[in-house]
Amino acid sequence: MERKVLLAIADGLGDRPCEALGNKTPLEYAETETLDMLAKNGTTGIMDLYKAGVPVGTDLGHLILFGYGIEDYPGRGPIEAFGKGMELIEGDVAFRCNFATVDDDMNIVDRRAGRIREGTKKLADALSGMMIDGITVLFKEATEHRAVMVLRGENLSSAISDTDPKKEGLKIKTSTAKDDSKEAAFTADLLNKVIVKAHEILKNHPLNIKRIEEGKFPANCIVTRGAGKMPKIEKITEKLKFKACCIAAEDTVLGAARLAGFETVTDSSFTGNIDTNIEKKAKAAVGALKTNDLVVLHYKATDLMGHDNNPQGKVEAIEKYDKMLKIVLNLIKEEKLNDVIIALAADHSTPCERKEHSGDPVPVVINGKSIRKDYVEKYDEISCSQGGLNRIKGSDFISILLDYLELVVKQGN
């Protein structure tokens, strides 16, 4: 397959008019020479990831952009597990976890165990492989105090409550079933046993004994949230028989990509913030185009600035995103990759005024050889609403891109 698609996703890019920016959105206000050029020479539109007015999370937004429907969403836990390199199988129940500090009565002293950074792999290894009631416990460290846990075995359910009280001074919650099924009751009881067993192991771990001697909070317990059960999901790369790669910093995005069967590339210099290494990211993306049909290039800083209610910071993040795309285009030209479609999208809007995801549509662009051109000349929420793609859903957008790769099955005769 000669044609390639590079999909650039600016996380949380969409916004609303900001008073601090003269009632323009950050994307309208920013200087975006490259993004505007791509819009001017391509076809544009606005996109609702799921449906109009319904906010989505980063995890679901990316799953949709990778070709899945909301019915395929397994919950945050499984996606985080994939993000840490754990390969889940159908029936696994996964959780997001914290290493925490508790007293003798299991009251939370610190939900993040003093924001522990060192030695968490040793703690995770001490927990992973436990067998309780015929169920295997798999455990994997993540960033700082964070971790992921997977329960593997028969008759499990994700319809159980969290054990994380989300506040210091409170006792770890007892997990309970959210429905009347035997599976939910079994899994809730199992999780409570796991919490107790993990505490017994961790409180006597040499690393925690040393932390106490040094006056630090010991990571002597775990708390869980976001249970999700892995459904039967076929990797879209295997289903449609194509190769894909995702360049990203965030575990959630990397997890969604791995679930979909994408190769992933990350690096310590891909920070997920405005100081991310755009040159190295651009090189990685263009390098991946040589051996993949679809390459996703993810950029996180725009979302963080929206959450921080920092309109000027979001403008700066957008302008750095624009520079990254300019580097990408120059490298594509240098490498003489002659038939690359460039697509621009976002996984959701994160308006500064709201400091959270919203259901506002995001602007999209498709640019390349044999792509119809509309009359839009700028890449922003308002201009793109006048474009030839009109207002579409995320599932429509990825279908269009896959059709340019001639991967979509014809319907009818």
Side-chain angles (χ1 to χ4, degrees):
M1 189 181 298
E2 293 299 322
R3 174 170 284 172
K4 312 282 186 174
V5 171
L6 176 72
L7 171 56
I9 300 175
D11 206 301
L13 177 67
D15 215 300
R16 297 171 179 171
C18 302
E19 288 187 19
L21 303 178
N23 288 317
K24 292 183 177 181
T25 70
L27 191 52
E28 286 181 292
Y29 189 89
E31 295 291 330
T32 52
E33 178 185 1
T34 304
L35 299 175
D36 292 344
M37 181 275 293
L38 290 168
K40 184 176 181 179
N41 294 288
T43 187
T44 66
I46 53 175
M47 175 177 68
D48 299 297
L49 270 297
Y50 172 44
K51 60 182 180 180
V54 179
V56 299
T58 294
D59 50 0
L60 178 57
H62 280 83
L63 272 184
I64 291 171
L65 288 174
F66 296 160
Y68 294 92
I70 194 168
E71 68 279 0
D72 299 312
Y73 178 60
R76 187 67 173 263
I79 291 175
E80 293 290 334
F82 272 101
K84 298 313 298 180
M86 301 175 81
E87 189 72 23
L88 271 60
I89 61 176
E90 183 182 2
D92 285 351
V93 174
F95 305 80
R96 301 168 72 192
C97 302
N98 278 16
F99 286 110
T101 305
V102 294
D103 62 19
D104 292 338
D105 295 319
M106 298 296 278
N107 295 304
I108 297 287
V109 177
D110 191 302
R111 285 184 64 249
R112 300 174 179 86
R115 291 193 179 274
I116 184 172
R117 290 187 176 184
E118 305 297 328
T120 54
K121 184 181 186 306
K122 293 180 180 179
L123 298 180
D125 288 346
L127 299 179
S128 194
M130 288 190 291
M131 285 284 294
I132 300 178
D133 293 343
I135 303 299
T136 302
V137 179
L138 304 174
F139 209 88
K140 180 77 172 177
E141 74 284 355
T143 307
E144 296 181 342
H145 58 277
R146 303 174 188 88
V148 290
M149 182 173 71
V150 175
L151 303 180
R152 178 168 291 171
E154 299 295 324
N155 302 314
L156 294 172
S157 170
S158 60
I160 60 173
S161 63
D162 297 343
T163 62
D164 185 356
K166 299 184 178 179
K167 188 176 181 180
E168 278 77 17
L170 300 178
K171 192 179 292 291
I172 289 181
K173 289 185 175 182
T174 299
S175 183
T176 58
K178 291 183 176 180
D179 62 29
D180 296 330
S181 68
K182 292 180 181 179
E183 291 80 5
F186 170 72
T187 309
D189 180 63
L190 173 70
L191 178 59
N192 294 326
K193 292 178 180 177
V194 170
I195 297 294
V196 172
K197 183 65 175 178
H199 177 54
E200 292 175 358
I201 293 171
L202 292 175
K203 70 180 180 181
N204 297 313
H205 195 284
L207 186 144
N208 281 322
I209 293 172
K210 183 179 180 183
R211 285 181 67 83
I212 293 171
E213 292 172 352
E214 294 173 348
K216 299 176 181 178
F217 286 120
N220 62 2
C221 199
I222 60 169
V223 290
T224 62
R225 60 191 181 279
K229 187 173 182 179
M230 188 65 188
K232 185 176 182 179
I233 297 180
E234 188 175 5
K235 296 184 185 301
I236 193 167
T237 53
E238 296 176 1
K239 179 181 179 181
L240 298 182
K241 295 180 174 53
F242 71 101
K243 293 188 66 178
C245 181
C246 179
I247 318 297
E250 191 182 28
D251 284 343
T252 304
V253 177
L254 294 169
R258 288 170 183 151
L259 184 153
F262 290 29
E263 294 179 7
T264 56
V265 175
T266 191
D267 187 89
S268 59
S269 68
F270 301 169
T271 65
N273 211 321
I274 202 162
D275 62 349
T276 194
N277 188 335
I278 58 172
E279 290 84 5
K280 196 166 188 177
K281 265 192 169 181
K283 288 179 181 178
V286 176
L289 283 171
K290 297 176 183 178
T291 55
N292 289 276
D293 306 303
L294 170 66
V295 174
V296 172
L297 176 57
H298 179 262
Y299 181 81
K300 183 65 177 177
T302 38
D303 182 57
L304 299 183
M305 297 303 168
H307 282 293
D308 289 345
N309 188 18
N310 185 350
Q312 193 58 54
K314 194 164 184 178
V315 169
E316 184 181 348
I318 289 168
E319 291 178 346
K320 189 160 188 178
Y321 176 63
D322 185 82
K323 290 178 182 176
M324 182 174 70
L325 268 295
K326 184 175 182 178
I327 297 169
V328 166
L329 293 178
N330 287 336
L331 288 172
I332 287 174
K333 188 175 181 179
E334 288 177 15
E335 296 292 338
K336 298 181 180 179
L337 301 173
N338 295 320
D339 195 359
V340 178
I341 290 173
I342 306 293
L344 306 177
D347 60 334
H348 54 75
S349 291
T350 308
C352 292
E353 66 162 30
R354 185 160 168 167
K355 297 193 290 185
E356 187 49 86
H357 302 183
S358 74
D360 296 281
V362 299
V364 293
V365 168
I366 302 175
N367 176 292
K369 286 184 178 180
S370 70
I371 303 295
R372 298 173 182 172
K373 296 181 182 179
D374 55 32
Y375 298 111
V376 172
E377 296 194 354
K378 280 184 59 61
Y379 181 61
D380 60 58
E381 300 91 339
I382 308 306
S383 298
C384 289
S385 68
Q386 308 298 312
L389 292 174
N390 300 306
R391 187 167 183 164
I392 60 176
K393 293 183 178 181
S395 56
D396 299 325
F397 186 69
I398 185 61
S399 288
I400 292 168
L401 297 182
L402 293 175
D403 187 47
Y404 279 119
L405 292 174
E406 300 182 12
L407 296 170
V408 178
V409 178
K410 183 176 72 172
Q411 302 298 301
N413 292 323

